[in-house]
Amino acid sequence: MKNKTIYVLLASVTLSVPAVPTMAHTSQSDLQATVVSTPEWNRLWTPANRAALKQALADRARHGLDHHAFLPPDVDELPADAATRVYTKAAQDYANALANGMVDPSSLHDVYTIARPTADRTETLGDALAQNRLAEWLDGLAPADPDYRALSQAYLTANRNAYAAEPVITLAESIHVGDVNPRVPEIVDQLVSDGYLAARPSTEPVDLYSPDIANAVEALQRDYGIREDGIIGPNTLGVLTLGPGDRARTLAVALERRRWLSRTPPATRIDVNTAAAELRYYHDGQLVDRRKVIVGEPDRETPPLGSPIYRLVANPTWTVPKSIPVSRATVRAKNMRRINGYWVQPSGPDNALGLVKFDMKNNQAIYLHDTAAPELFDRSQRHLSHGCVRVSDALGFAAMLADQEGVGDTWAKAYASGDYEIIDLPREIPVRLLYHNAFLGDDGKVAFRTDPYGWNDAIGVELGFNKKMSHQAKAEAIDIGP
């Protein structure tokens, strides 16, 4: 009776709203507030429409939303007006979860400027009910791209496995060198994906935990502040997201993050995946380039921004932000000068920005740039910067962008001069700084990465999963670059 009382109280709120507003012009809070009760709405919620909503919600696992109950099981036992309100609110909440996500990313991040979905439809919930098209209307709200579909299918599989499987590894049963364990192939796959291990030699049994695998595990443990013993225990397993249900949780969060994104991203754009420390460049809708990047370390995370590149800076100087401490030894070693209260490093191959800076329009002082320490791109864990994005072979990347934007010769002369010069791009190139640790790989399969910033936890809880504190990457003090 307690749950029924709660829902009756919820449904007793009376709001005078003539119709459910269009998704395109309604915020999440507005949608949740638009709970109506009129004779007309009572008639709209026919038995067929009620059944259609229940059927749609029964299929919500396809979107990783099955851990959240949108509709109480006893809704049909409520008085007619109360049931109408509850059905309407459930439909609105589910529609908004599909169209925009259950979680508002701006509530999780101090700064979030990546383009959000904008519906171009005029059909409303009321229209869908009146035309008996509720199922079709709801089905058209979620992303329909190949990445989302692949993540959806992977979630359904992982979810089934999570419920079917019993934990193989417990606190008392860790994996040591020489052990044979059925989880080893899965562990190897994750270590290979994260760059800690090359493919296992075909001469070894697939379920043997060999010294080579243990060495790779030690490197991962070092990066995540776990005791470097090469033993697969609960903490190490947690970083690898291989525990029962962990993959399903990661995929549900990945689906949610996809629902936050515009359904029509720019055909020419740069997507930086800060979870994987990787950049992908799309030109006219085609993926034409991908390369490693170095991104912000934990506690200095690269923020989720949508911010275009609007100019290239050849042979840049670097003005050190006051948030980055500079020692006297660094001032001498880097030939820095004090200008207007800031330390400034002159142009040159030893400059922290390298030989090219990709200026971006934002108020966070975040941009892409070259580096004087290219050897760091060989590391598996590349969350090492103070927030900006260092690009592998940045000079080659700059030349490619300049050529495609029609300023290749101008850029080449500016770089060759050795002087600080700015080359404006004829058009801005959109950049999205995303955080996806489950995504569609180049082989068409879903790839997984660790959760280096620990940003998945809060989303998982909002989606109805149990709270789980992820290990964050532990960056080393490599240099003072941005």
Side-chain angles (χ1 to χ4, degrees), residues 222-284:
R222 182 166 55 252
D223 285 343
Y224 282 82
I226 301 171
R227 181 181 176 184
E228 297 175 45
D229 54 14
I231 298 171
I232 301 290
N235 287 341
T236 302
L237 193 70
V239 170
L240 291 168
T241 64
L242 295 175
D246 286 346
R247 283 281 170 95
R249 180 177 178 272
T250 297
L251 287 161
V253 171
L255 288 165
E256 173 71 3
R257 290 187 185 277
R258 293 280 174 177
R259 290 190 291 268
W260 294 349
L261 300 178
S262 168
R263 306 295 190 261
T264 55
T268 296
R269 68 184 186 277
I270 295 168
D271 283 347
V272 175
N273 184 350
T274 57
E278 185 178 85
L279 176 153
R280 294 188 178 195
Y281 171 50
Y282 297 83
H283 186 75
D284 291 338

Side-chain angles (χ1 to χ4, degrees), residues 181-347:
N181 191 289
R183 301 300 294 279
V184 170
E186 196 177 1
I187 291 167
V188 168
D189 286 345
Q190 187 63 64
L191 291 169
V192 170
S193 293
D194 286 330
Y196 288 97
L197 184 68
R200 174 202 291 274
S202 58
T203 56
E204 292 183 359
V206 295
D207 52 359
L208 173 66
Y209 189 61
S210 68
D212 287 344
I213 303 173
N215 290 338
V217 168
E218 285 185 22
L220 177 137
Q221 290 170 331
R222 182 166 55 252
D223 285 343
Y224 282 82
I226 301 171
R227 181 181 176 184
E228 297 175 45
D229 54 14
I231 298 171
I232 301 290
N235 287 341
T236 302
L237 193 70
V239 170
L240 291 168
T241 64
L242 295 175
D246 286 346
R247 283 281 170 95
R249 180 177 178 272
T250 297
L251 287 161
V253 171
L255 288 165
E256 173 71 3
R257 290 187 185 277
R258 293 280 174 177
R259 290 190 291 268
W260 294 349
L261 300 178
S262 168
R263 306 295 190 261
T264 55
T268 296
R269 68 184 186 277
I270 295 168
D271 283 347
V272 175
N273 184 350
T274 57
E278 185 178 85
L279 176 153
R280 294 188 178 195
Y281 171 50
Y282 297 83
H283 186 75
D284 291 338
Q286 299 297 316
L287 176 63
V288 296
D289 190 76
R290 59 176 294 184
R291 57 190 64 216
K292 295 179 180 179
V293 295
I294 293 169
V295 294
E297 64 187 21
D299 298 325
R300 297 179 185 269
E301 297 94 345
T302 299
L305 295 181
S307 175
I309 293 172
Y310 68 104
R311 65 185 187 183
L312 304 177
V313 181
N315 309 300
T317 61
W318 181 44
T319 300
V320 185
K322 292 191 175 180
S323 60
I324 300 179
V326 180
S327 67
R328 292 183 179 179
T330 298
V331 169
R332 290 193 297 270
K334 302 295 184 182
N335 194 28
M336 292 182 175
R337 299 178 182 178
R338 194 80 168 175
I339 301 176
N340 296 326
Y342 287 87
W343 289 111
V344 178
Q345 185 182 15
S347 300

Side-chain angles (χ1 to χ4, degrees), residues 36 145 150 171 288 308 310 329 353 425:
V36 297
D145 57 90
L171 186 63
V288 296
Y310 68 104
L353 300 185
L425 295 176

Side-chain angles (χ1 to χ4, degrees), residues 272 277-279 291-297 302 318 324 352-353 356 358 367-377 382 384-394 478-482:
V272 175
E278 185 178 85
L279 176 153
R291 57 190 64 216
K292 295 179 180 179
V293 295
I294 293 169
V295 294
E297 64 187 21
T302 299
W318 181 44
I324 300 179
L353 300 185
V356 58
F358 305 80
Y367 45 84
L368 277 59
H369 64 91
D370 188 16
T371 178
E375 66 276 4
L376 297 181
F377 291 109
R382 297 189 298 278
L384 304 167
S385 79
H386 284 78
C388 288
V389 179
R390 308 179 194 180
V391 181
S392 177
D393 184 23
I478 302 286
D479 54 37
I480 65 164

Side-chain angles (χ1 to χ4, degrees), residues 433-465:
L433 304 180
L434 307 166
Y435 188 83
H436 292 155
N437 70 321
F439 53 92
L440 195 61
D442 292 338
D443 59 359
K445 300 178 181 178
V446 173
F448 292 87
R449 297 293 184 269
T450 49
D451 181 15
Y453 292 162
W455 280 357
N456 283 1
D457 295 327
I459 302 170
V461 170
E462 290 298 318
L463 293 177
F465 289 82

